[in-house]
Amino acid sequence: MSGNALTNAESEPGGFARFVSGRKSKWVVLVLWIILLAGLGPLAGKINDVQKNDIGAWLPKSADSTKEVVQEQKFQPPIFPGLVVFQRDGGLTDDDKKIVDGLKAKLTDPANATFKDKKNPTVDEKKTWAYKFSTVVASGVQEIPAPKSLAVLNIPIDPGTAGWNKLGDVVTAINDEIGTPPAGLKVHVTGAAGNAADSMKSFKKVDGALTYVTFGVVILILLLAYRSPVLWILPIFSVAFAYTGASGMVYLLAKHAGLTVNGWSAFVLPVLAVGAGVDYAMLILARYREELRRYEDRHEAMAHAIHRAGPAVFASSATVAVSMLCLLLAEMNSTKGLGPVSAVAVGFSLIAMTTLFPALLVILGRWVFWPVKPSFGSVEPTASGVWARMGRRVAKRPRAVWVGTTLILAVCAVGLSSLKLHPLNGAESFTDKPDSVVGAQILQDNGLGGTGNPIYVTMNRAARDEVAGKIQSVPGIVTGSVTPPQGLPDVKDGIGLLQATTTAPSDSPAGRDTAMAVRAAVHSVPGADAHVGGWAAMAKDSATAASHDDKTLIPVILLVVFVILALLLRAVLAPLLLMLTVVLSFGASLGISALMFHGPFGLGGEDNSFPLIVFVFLVALGVDYNIFLMTRIREEAVRNGTRRGALIGLAATGGVITWAGLVLASTFGVLGTLTITFAAELGFAVALGVLLDTLIVRSVLVTALTLDIGKRMWWPSKLSSAPEPDGGTLEAARAADDGVLVS
């Protein structure tokens, strides 16, 4: 230990801590990161190239609708139906019909394209037009019979390897081709393709905002916390390295190791990389600043900071990563794919913040804290700060505090009964009314709610006629709609394919019930090996899988997190109590959220997968702050007793945990600006839960429990039965002055 340390009551840092903060090895760390980024950086921008947003990337493999898709692909690729709705009150005019016929002619035969505003189109313009509509299945473009005030074009789209982005391109191209319609004619693009295009528009609008707002909040918080105009650059720089490295690694795993990356997991990647990375950076930075007051040599100070804060950071990242990897057990492929991507994001954040970030800090020296530099031998300000005063207030009546807080959170959790879990229909999927929702409502108002999203049924060829009869006998199927899809062969590889239109919208409860009735009917045909798919059946299968995942994964994640905490704290009682507080916080935040969703926000419901995703984020991330607090309390308990250690731990970590929580809450809160219901609800619920964890659960509930229970928190470890120092009694903790932190 350094000879000018203010205390020698601690173990020496190990080789890792010495390496990342060494006088020479810090430069090695920086060079290694530059080499790593040189390799992964160019790949990071290619992550969209490996996204899989086809049906197989979302549905459970065992679902009947998934089996239907596999068989249907013998006939046609996975199709996203796009419906173009033309409407004029009082009936369409001849000019209106010319617009409809013209678009249909262009899409079925590009040779009919006129290439607007050009008398002599060039080859390049022709290629551009052909590219825009290259994924339209020309043989399936048809006009659907409709009332005289409407014309409806069904435009099936195969997004192919281009994915959902191509759907958006086609929808944009359709609107461009139509141009500005004549006065009184309304044109809307709806159907699955229209919904997907509107979703992408919302994500694209927030992509930049998410990055800018997140980094802006981090900068502001670091400025407020450390009052330095330059310090914020290092966490931002390190987080950017972590995100770039994680994106490049995800690309490699998707390209060569079979990792499934969809639009949702790709969107969550930066949220977790930035949120978790900043959390870890702030904890290490706070501990480094504290150690700089105890060690004159900044390299020695950083070695001790990593040595003492490292276990909490490693345990925190392990909790998040392992919790996310538990999602591999999910039936829903969309949920399953989220796990590894999230684990990679957290893993790179951990590596960057425990290697690159410390190396940069010691390379630059104390001046980065300017103008409030932590000088050797100065008093640690947290010892008499806000959280030190909060601890003394809680210490006056800890049992009353934790009982009262528990009751309040339990009352908030009653709001869970307000959750409305079901597959969201098109209108419910958005917080506003985009073009696709308006178009779908027009179709529904005119009795065409099931148009464009038929039920598909595959079966053994020999049983096709009997299966067709069974389908037509089901109430809710439009008479005469049971036919082979237009432009496709009747039979392929011994498999038959039929489609049927429902009277109810396919995304409505009635539409899903009809699909299930069709499934029951065709499964009764002996030897048919029939499978039922289509959007209604997929929604029902997804809801069933999501409910299964809730019941399976939540207990598994709780058990995994408990084991990690038990190993970290070398106790059973403390981890058990921490898990209970996190579950209580989850229930309260979800309960409050449900009341807000169906009250002031006026939302229609929550997707069936919503509780599990919120649970994963809140438990994994919420436990973080308890880990940061409890590891410090245990460290101090060895020297000062558990109750006095609780006050010291809260005082020392209170500020950094609060700021870190605000960063994470703000990061997820940006999701609330999306017009996609699932993302907006997720952002609100997670942000609220993080704030509850940082401001109430960690600072009030956990502290009060520790003060009340004392050293028994560490049962059955030796610390629970060892004689405590004078500060171990509750009376001593209450009487402790607010001066210097005991070290």
Side-chain angles (χ1 to χ4, degrees):
M1 179 175 294
S2 172
N4 52 16
L6 297 184
T7 178
N8 57 6
E10 63 179 58
S11 60
E12 283 294 302
F16 175 79
R18 296 288 184 189
F19 177 76
V20 299
S21 59
R23 296 180 184 277
K24 295 181 180 179
S25 54
K26 64 188 177 186
W27 296 104
V28 176
V29 171
L30 179 58
V31 170
L32 288 175
W33 265 99
I34 292 174
I35 294 173
L36 179 66
L37 265 293
L40 294 179
L43 303 178
K46 297 182 178 181
I47 192 169
N48 288 334
D49 298 342
V50 293
Q51 281 193 39
K52 293 182 179 179
N53 290 301
D54 58 3
I55 295 168
W58 295 83
L59 288 175
K61 290 183 178 179
S62 59
D64 195 58
S65 55
T66 307
K67 296 175 182 177
E68 186 280 327
V69 168
V70 173
Q71 298 283 41
E72 185 186 333
Q73 286 179 345
K74 298 177 184 295
F75 297 82
Q76 63 180 5
I79 295 299
F80 285 77
L83 300 174
V84 185
V85 181
F86 300 83
Q87 181 194 35
R88 183 185 290 275
D89 295 336
L92 297 176
T93 66
D94 290 341
D95 288 340
D96 296 338
K97 293 177 181 177
K98 288 180 181 178
I99 294 174
V100 177
D101 293 340
L103 179 61
K104 180 181 178 181
K106 290 179 182 181
L107 295 177
T108 53
D109 185 358
N112 293 316
T114 57
F115 304 104
K116 296 178 182 179
D117 301 326
K118 294 286 185 181
K119 295 180 180 179
N120 299 305
T122 66
V123 173
D124 287 343
E125 287 169 335
K126 289 182 179 180
K127 285 183 177 180
T128 299
W129 196 95
Y131 166 75
K132 289 193 296 184
F133 296 105
S134 61
T135 58
V136 172
V137 182
S139 61
V141 177
Q142 59 178 308
E143 186 172 349
I144 297 171
K148 67 176 184 179
S149 63
L150 296 181
V152 182
L153 275 183
N154 177 38
I155 303 177
I157 302 171
D158 166 25
T161 57
W164 280 12
N165 287 328
K166 189 57 179 175
L167 292 175
D169 292 342
V170 173
V171 170
T172 300
I174 288 172
N175 286 317
D176 289 344
E177 282 298 316
I178 295 169
T180 303
L185 178 64
K186 301 173 184 176
V187 183
H188 306 281
V189 182
T190 185
N195 286 147
D198 286 335
S199 297
M200 284 184 292
K201 286 180 184 177
S202 182
F203 276 114
K204 286 179 179 178
K205 285 179 182 178
V206 80
D207 261 349
L210 179 66
T211 303
Y212 296 138
V213 171
T214 300
F215 285 163
V217 169
V218 172
I219 293 169
L220 177 61
I221 289 175
L222 289 174
L223 285 171
L224 292 173
Y226 300 107
R227 299 187 295 281
S228 170
V230 293
L231 183 59
W232 60 270
I233 297 174
L234 298 186
I236 297 296
F237 186 79
S238 301
V239 164
F241 266 48
Y243 171 49
T244 303
S247 299
M249 181 58 68
V250 167
Y251 171 82
L252 287 176
L253 292 174
K255 187 76 173 177
H256 304 291
L259 175 64
T260 298
V261 181
N262 56 36
W264 176 237
S265 57
F267 186 76
V268 169
L269 174 61
V271 175
L272 269 180
V274 174
V278 171
D279 271 9
Y280 305 152
M282 294 192 74
L283 184 68
I284 290 172
L285 189 59
R287 195 60 185 253
Y288 176 52
R289 188 181 66 170
E290 186 178 332
E291 298 299 330
L292 283 172
R293 302 179 189 279
R294 304 173 62 236
Y295 292 91
E296 189 170 17
D297 181 0
R298 68 180 187 274
H299 301 87
E300 191 73 15
M302 179 57 77
H304 282 81
I306 296 295
H307 175 64
R308 301 179 78 184
V313 174
F314 278 97
S316 170
S317 61
T319 301
V320 179
V322 175
S323 296
M324 293 299 176
L325 289 175
C326 288
L327 296 181
L328 287 170
L329 301 176
E331 284 196 352
M332 283 293 293
N333 276 346
S334 55
T335 303
K336 188 192 298 284
L338 180 62
V341 173
S342 300
V344 171
V346 172
F348 265 83
S349 294
L350 167 68
I351 296 170
M353 296 311 155
T354 55
T355 58
L356 176 63
F357 182 57
L360 290 174
L361 282 170
V362 292
I363 286 172
L364 295 177
R366 293 177 188 256
W367 72 267
V368 296
F369 289 92
W370 182 87
V372 187
K373 293 188 292 184
S375 58
F376 172 63
S378 60
V379 176
E380 174 58 43
T382 58
S384 57
V386 172
W387 296 105
R389 295 194 295 272
M390 171 67 77
R392 290 196 299 276
R393 291 192 187 99
V394 173
K396 292 178 180 178
R397 299 183 62 189
R399 184 166 301 175
V401 169
W402 73 256
V403 170
T405 304
T406 299
L407 290 175
I408 292 172
L409 293 174
V411 169
C412 293
V414 173
L416 284 168
S417 61
S418 300
L419 285 174
K420 300 177 182 178
L421 300 177
H422 62 270
L424 301 182
N425 62 35
E428 292 172 333
S429 297
F430 298 92
T431 59
D432 59 355
K433 292 187 72 174
D435 194 54
S436 60
V437 171
V438 175
Q441 187 62 53
I442 292 172
L443 291 175
Q444 186 171 342
D445 293 342
N446 286 273
L448 299 172
T451 300
N453 286 324
I455 292 173
Y456 289 104
V457 183
T458 58
M459 76 297 295
N460 290 334
R461 170 64 185 90
R464 194 181 72 169
D465 292 343
E466 186 176 356
V467 168
K470 289 286 187 180
I471 298 172
Q472 191 63 77
S473 68
V474 173
I477 294 296
V478 174
T479 302
S481 69
V482 183
T483 63
Q486 182 178 346
L488 297 178
D490 292 347
V491 181
K492 199 164 187 180
D493 296 338
I495 302 296
L497 175 65
L498 293 170
Q499 68 177 22
T501 301
T502 58
T503 55
S506 60
D507 61 0
S508 68
R512 292 191 293 273
D513 289 344
T514 301
M516 293 304 99
V518 168
R519 180 174 288 172
V522 301
H523 282 182
S524 68
V525 178
D529 191 27
H531 303 292
V532 177
W535 294 99
M538 292 175 190
K540 187 68 175 180
D541 289 341
S542 296
T544 301
S547 298
H548 168 272
D549 290 344
D550 284 351
K551 297 173 184 176
T552 303
L553 293 180
I554 288 178
V556 170
I557 292 171
L558 286 174
L559 177 61
V560 167
V561 174
F562 172 79
V563 171
I564 293 174
L565 288 174
L567 293 173
L568 174 69
L569 299 176
R570 285 160 284 174
V572 171
L573 182 58
L576 180 60
L577 292 176
L578 291 180
M579 293 304 302
L580 291 175
T581 64
V582 171
V583 171
L584 185 60
S585 175
F586 163 73
S589 60
L590 204 57
I592 296 172
S593 297
L595 294 174
M596 296 297 292
F597 295 158
H598 306 304
F601 297 168
L603 301 178
E606 293 75 45
D607 185 81
N608 294 81
S609 61
F610 178 72
L612 174 62
I613 301 301
V614 174
F615 177 83
V616 171
F617 281 121
L618 280 186
V619 170
L621 298 173
V623 166
D624 271 8
Y625 304 116
N626 282 326
I627 288 175
F628 295 164
L629 173 63
M630 291 303 290
T631 52
R632 184 59 183 264
I633 290 177
R634 196 184 194 288
E635 177 187 330
E636 299 294 342
V638 175
R639 294 173 292 186
N640 303 298
T642 298
R643 291 186 171 94
R644 177 62 177 146
L647 298 182
I648 297 173
L650 179 61
T653 64
V656 64
I657 291 176
T658 300
W659 291 121
L662 289 174
V663 169
L664 193 61
S666 299
T667 303
F668 275 91
V670 175
L671 294 177
T673 64
L674 282 168
T675 57
I676 300 171
T677 300
F678 184 90
E681 290 178 337
L682 177 67
F684 181 88
V686 174
L688 175 62
V690 168
L691 292 176
L692 283 178
D693 279 330
T694 55
L695 300 177
I696 296 177
V697 174
R698 182 262 312 163
S699 61
V700 178
L701 182 55
V702 173
T703 301
L705 281 168
T706 306
L707 287 168
D708 188 25
I709 297 174
K711 66 180 183 179
R712 288 173 296 172
M713 284 288 284
W714 315 116
W715 181 87
S717 71
K718 294 181 179 179
L719 188 58
S720 66
S721 57
E724 286 201 302
D726 293 340
T729 65
L730 184 57
E731 291 73 18
R734 289 169 176 164
D737 62 47
D738 58 352
V740 181
L741 288 178
V742 179
S743 297

